[in-house]
Amino acid sequence: MQKQISLLSVKYAALLLIEANDKVTTLEIKGMLRDLGYFATQQDVSDLMIQAADELPLEYTDNGQFRYYTLPTPAAVVAASDDDDTVDPNTSTTSNQVSQSTRNSAITYTRRDGRVIVGSFSDLTAVDDDWVVSASGHPEAYFAGSLSRDDARQAYSKTVGVDFHNTRSARFSK
């Protein structure tokens, strides 16, 4: 049985793909969600992405055929702030916090054969039977259960900079 997409799964896929490619389209999000075992139609992804873009927030460029979504520029984040007391226009604290928190959770690893393995340091979208991988002194990471154990460990070891044989993995269970 395929998993149903949600606003959270669309946000997760969008942020991971933006992390990997600096921009994303709903077609790419749909493809990633399908690869992760979700039932996703283009219309459902497009509808949820409109809401996700507002909540994250993301900027988009419409080229007449489709939208490219990107993270906002630092100036846009500062300008969009409603609370002048918490944002110093002379610094980029707010924009750094937005992009840093987004970038810190994403893992992308490109294998020699060109296949991209995607994961996260956040367990928010992990489901039962996904892989949880760890190494001493490093945060746990979560990968799709459809990957092989070695693929998940290899992506993790390259991401955190530890030897493959020092990684441990197990199936995730909520």
Side-chain angles (χ1 to χ4, degrees):
M1 183 174 171
Q2 292 181 316
K3 301 178 263 187
Q4 292 296 320
I5 66 169
S6 65
L7 180 59
L8 182 62
S9 62
V10 169
K11 285 180 181 180
Y12 175 76
L15 291 174
L16 287 176
L17 289 166
I18 289 172
E19 169 69 20
N21 305 313
D22 294 326
K23 61 185 177 182
V24 69
T25 65
T26 55
L27 183 62
E28 294 166 330
I29 294 169
K30 179 185 79 172
M32 179 182 178
L33 291 172
R34 285 185 175 179
D35 289 346
L36 293 173
Y38 286 88
F39 175 78
T41 65
Q42 187 64 40
Q43 186 62 51
D44 290 342
V45 172
S46 294
D47 292 345
L48 287 170
M49 192 58 194
I50 291 170
Q51 185 179 350
D54 287 339
E55 290 181 14
L56 286 173
L58 296 175
E59 294 179 343
Y60 69 88
T61 303
D62 193 334
N63 71 1
Q65 283 187 301
F66 47 86
R67 293 179 174 184
Y68 281 109
Y69 291 91
T70 59
L71 290 174
T73 61
V77 173
V78 172
S81 175
D82 293 332
D83 188 0
D84 292 334
D85 293 335
T86 59
V87 176
D88 179 355
N90 298 318
T91 67
S92 58
T93 303
T94 302
S95 62
N96 285 342
Q97 289 170 347
V98 170
S99 61
Q100 197 63 28
S101 65
T102 300
R103 293 188 182 277
N104 280 346
S105 67
I107 298 170
T108 57
Y109 169 68
T110 305
R111 293 173 22 139
R112 287 185 191 162
D113 63 6
R115 197 172 110 209
V116 176
I117 297 175
V118 178
S120 174
F121 287 115
S122 171
D123 67 350
L124 292 177
T125 58
V127 296
D128 286 348
D129 292 327
D130 278 354
W131 291 110
V132 58
V133 187
S134 62
S136 181
H138 297 279
E140 292 180 334
Y142 303 86
F143 296 89
S146 59
L147 294 171
S148 72
R149 176 186 298 257
D150 285 349
D151 281 345
R153 290 177 63 204
Q154 183 70 30
Y156 180 82
S157 70
K158 294 296 183 187
T159 302
V160 300
V162 299
D163 290 334
F164 178 84
H165 66 275
N166 289 330
T167 63
R168 301 292 175 257
S169 60
R171 291 292 186 173
F172 178 76
S173 179
K174 287 190 178 186

